[in-house]
Structures are given as C-alpha cells and as structure tokens.
C-alpha cells in the first residue's frame, strides 16, 4: 500500500535536528557529498565498461570472474571511502576490522540508515555477495550489479538457490531485512527473507550494526542537497553475536524464519538503542 504524504512526513521529517551553526562548513559538506555521488556514478560506469571487460580476458569461468570482480569492487569501495574521509564527508570507525575480513559462509544482516551502508559493508567484507533492488539495474550501477550481484526481482526459490551456492563456496550474502532504508522515526518491520535464506542454506546469521551519528542527507526522502546540520557523517560498524542456525534447524521453515527474524530484530534494536546513547547530534565540528 502506498504511503500518504502525511505518513511519509511523520516517519521522515527532520524538524528535531539542531539549527545549522556554521553555514559555510555546512555548504561545503553538501557540495562535497554531491561530488561523491557524481564520482561514485562515474566510477561505476568505468568499472562496468572498461575494467570488467579486461578482467574477463584473464578469467576462464563465470564463477571465478565474479569472485575477482567482487574483490576488485571491495577494494574500489575502500578507495572511495578513503576519498570521502579525505575531503571530510565522513569518518569510519570499525571495531575489530580483521573479523569482518575473515567472515565466511554467512548471511550478513544489518540496519539500513543510509544509502551508503552497502558500500561500507562491502568494503569491509571482500568476499561478499549482495541482494540488491531490481530497480538499481536502471541506474549507473547497472553494469556492476548485473555482473556481480543478485537482484531481488528473481523468483524466491531461484534466489535461495543462488544464495546457497555462493554461501557453500565460503562467500557471504548481505541482506538488509527492512527491505528499504530505515525511517528517521520508528522502524520498518523486518522481512523474513534473510532468515529463510539462512535456513535454506543451513548457515549462520551475522548481524552488523551500522552505527554512528545522524545520517540526515543520506536517508530515504531526504532532500538531495541536504546534510547533517552540525557535523560530518560518522559510520561506526560492529559485529554483533552470531545467530547459530543449529538452534532452529529442527523447526519448520515457517517457524524458524519467524524466530530468527525476531532474534535479528531484538539484537539490532538493542544495539541501535545503545548507539543512540553514544552518539548525540549536538556536537559541532
């Protein structure tokens, strides 16, 4: 059901934000964010049109190509994040980054406060596949997505089979169980797709907290030119306790998916609440 304008405003309004105190610095950050958008779009086209064709020349199988391509994209995303940090669009905080790098054969689930969440997670986890929205194949990202990742417009059984195949090879699958970006107020109900895929693949579920400060300017329905009013974006990532599939494998798929989804919701909600106490959006830098 399509949301009314009143419902959208209630979930996404930003009237609680503090006033802009440094208009020059805020203006610079808005411009820098738009520059990063453009840089990312152009870079995606270059990857698809110029880099991937050359990569295919030395690769003999489609599977090997996708592995190498995803690792290359991960390194490219890391470089992109370094640029964003260099021009002071954002800061990245990662607890035990080596643990992200050593994740294998898991369904990775995370909250989704901003449009850049998947970029950060894929930069931290080089062997990650990702389920992405089908409409992204109509954007500059299309060339990268079609060659490397899984779109959510596939039949769900086919989606499960593709996920299991990549998980069985030791890769990870990133899923945002809300299905869309988290609203500024309240939260979206979690979909059971991630739990069903984990149950089908008989693998663990690894929750990831996308923490930090307010992501105004990168959220859903935020104005394109907007930015956090008082400080640069801070992304604080941490791994939560893994949800072991063995605890649910004897249940029916329906019940297991329900229980796993409830556990994901409980863990992420608690972590988000603790993060909110840590980051208060009244600092100025």
């Amino acid at each position: 059901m399509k949301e009314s304008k009143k419902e959208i405003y209630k979930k996404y309004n930003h009237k609680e934000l503090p006033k802009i105190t440094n208009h020059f610095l805020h203006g610079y950050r808005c411009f820098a964010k738009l520059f990063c958008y453009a840089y990312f779009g152009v870079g995606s086209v270059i990857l698809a049109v110029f880099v991937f064709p050359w990569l295919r020349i030395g690769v003999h199988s489609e599977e090997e190509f996708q592995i190498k391509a995803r690792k290359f994209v991960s390194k490219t995303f890391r470089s992109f994040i370094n640029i964003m940090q260099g021009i002071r669009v954002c800061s990245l905080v990662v607890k035990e980054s080596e643990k992200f790098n050593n994740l294998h054969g898991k369904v990775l689930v995370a909250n989704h406060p901003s449009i850049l969440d998947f970029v950060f997670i894929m930069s931290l986890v080089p062997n990650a596949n990702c389920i992405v929205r089908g409409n992204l194949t109509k954007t500059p990202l299309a060339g990268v997505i079609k060659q490397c990742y899984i779109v959510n417009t596939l039949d769900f059984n086919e989606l499960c089979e593709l996920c299991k195949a990549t998980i069985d090879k030791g890769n990870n699958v990133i899923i945002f169980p809300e299905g869309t970006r988290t609203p500024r107020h309240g939260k979206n109900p979690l979909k059971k797709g991630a739990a069903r895929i984990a149950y089908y693949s008989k693998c663990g579920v690894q929750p990831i907290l996308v923490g930090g400060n307010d992501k105004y300017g990168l959220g859903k329905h935020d104005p394109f030119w907007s930015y956090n009013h008082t400080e640069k974006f801070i992304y604080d990532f941490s791994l939560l306790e893994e949800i072991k599939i063995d605890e649910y494998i004897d249940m029916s798929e329906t019940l297991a998916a329900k229980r796993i989804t409830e556990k994901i919701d409980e863990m992420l909600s608690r972590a988000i609440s603790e993060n909110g106490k840590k980051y208060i959006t009244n600092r100025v830098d």
Side-chain angles (χ1 to χ4, degrees), residues 82-144:
N82 288 337
I83 290 172
M84 288 196 295
Q85 292 188 95
I87 62 176
R88 297 188 62 78
V89 168
C90 71
S91 289
L92 174 61
V93 180
V94 185
K95 297 178 180 67
E96 301 176 302
S97 59
E98 69 281 356
K99 289 187 176 181
F100 283 87
N101 195 56
N102 292 327
L103 289 171
H104 298 283
K106 311 290 183 191
V107 170
L108 310 182
V109 295
N111 55 312
H112 196 10
S114 83
I115 196 172
L116 293 177
D117 302 331
F118 83 100
V119 174
F120 279 92
I121 295 175
M122 289 167 67
S123 75
L124 294 169
V125 186
N127 62 333
N129 209 323
C130 187
I131 297 179
V132 297
R133 296 197 319 273
N135 60 6
L136 288 178
T137 58
K138 300 176 182 178
T139 70
L141 293 172
V144 175

Side-chain angles (χ1 to χ4, degrees), residues 2-279:
K2 190 174 181 180
E3 292 182 307
S4 67
K5 289 184 178 180
K6 185 176 180 180
E7 290 172 326
I8 290 173
Y9 178 78
K10 184 178 180 180
K11 290 172 66 175
Y12 297 97
N13 81 80
H14 54 276
K15 61 183 180 181
E16 81 286 358
L17 288 179
K19 292 182 179 180
I20 299 170
T21 54
N22 187 328
H23 288 272
F24 175 79
L25 186 56
H26 180 262
Y28 164 76
R29 287 170 174 160
C30 289
F31 175 81
K33 186 196 80 168
L34 297 181
F35 166 79
C36 289
Y37 276 168
Y39 184 93
F40 188 85
V42 172
S44 299
V45 173
I46 291 174
L47 276 178
V49 176
F50 297 104
V51 177
F52 285 178
W54 281 103
L55 189 61
R56 281 187 181 276
I57 293 175
V59 176
H60 301 293
S61 70
E62 182 66 22
E63 179 184 332
E64 185 182 356
F65 165 76
Q66 290 187 350
I67 292 171
K68 289 183 179 296
R70 286 196 292 266
K71 287 183 177 180
F72 190 89
V73 168
S74 178
K75 291 179 180 179
T76 302
F77 282 177
R78 248 174 276 162
S79 298
F80 175 66
I81 291 167
N82 288 337
I83 290 172
M84 288 196 295
Q85 292 188 95
I87 62 176
R88 297 188 62 78
V89 168
C90 71
S91 289
L92 174 61
V93 180
V94 185
K95 297 178 180 67
E96 301 176 302
S97 59
E98 69 281 356
K99 289 187 176 181
F100 283 87
N101 195 56
N102 292 327
L103 289 171
H104 298 283
K106 311 290 183 191
V107 170
L108 310 182
V109 295
N111 55 312
H112 196 10
S114 83
I115 196 172
L116 293 177
D117 302 331
F118 83 100
V119 174
F120 279 92
I121 295 175
M122 289 167 67
S123 75
L124 294 169
V125 186
N127 62 333
N129 209 323
C130 187
I131 297 179
V132 297
R133 296 197 319 273
N135 60 6
L136 288 178
T137 58
K138 300 176 182 178
T139 70
L141 293 172
V144 175
I145 289 170
K146 288 178 180 179
Q147 297 184 70
C148 299
Y149 302 107
I150 302 170
V151 294
N152 64 2
T153 50
L154 296 172
D155 174 78
F156 190 74
N157 290 330
E158 183 181 358
L159 193 71
C160 286
E161 290 174 6
L162 288 173
C163 289
K164 186 178 188 306
T166 193
I167 287 169
D168 286 346
K169 293 181 176 68
N171 299 312
N172 304 287
V173 175
I174 304 169
I175 303 174
F176 296 104
E178 288 179 86
T180 187
R181 276 170 280 171
T182 310
R184 293 187 59 78
H185 308 285
K187 62 180 183 179
N188 298 310
L190 301 192
K191 301 180 186 298
K192 297 183 179 69
R196 291 177 63 190
I197 289 169
Y199 182 88
Y200 183 88
S201 304
K202 294 181 173 54
C203 70
V205 178
Q206 177 59 67
I208 298 175
L209 172 67
V210 183
N213 64 353
D214 194 290
K215 303 299 189 295
Y216 176 63
L218 299 174
K220 194 172 183 179
H221 297 295
D222 291 347
F224 186 64
W225 59 86
S226 58
Y227 196 95
N228 185 306
H229 284 183
T230 58
E231 57 190 345
K232 63 184 175 182
F233 298 123
I234 300 173
Y235 280 86
D236 189 343
F237 286 84
S238 56
L239 295 176
L240 307 182
E241 183 182 353
E242 181 184 340
I243 301 171
K244 304 288 188 180
I245 198 63
D246 293 345
E247 299 175 26
Y248 306 91
I249 207 66
D250 292 332
M251 299 179 184
S252 68
E253 179 187 349
T254 302
L255 181 59
K258 182 175 185 293
R259 294 284 185 262
I260 294 170
T261 303
E262 288 173 348
K263 185 66 174 178
I264 294 170
D265 193 15
E266 174 194 334
M267 294 178 70
L268 286 177
S269 295
R270 182 169 62 247
I272 291 168
S273 177
E274 292 171 358
N275 175 79
K277 296 172 184 176
K278 179 179 178 182
Y279 287 93

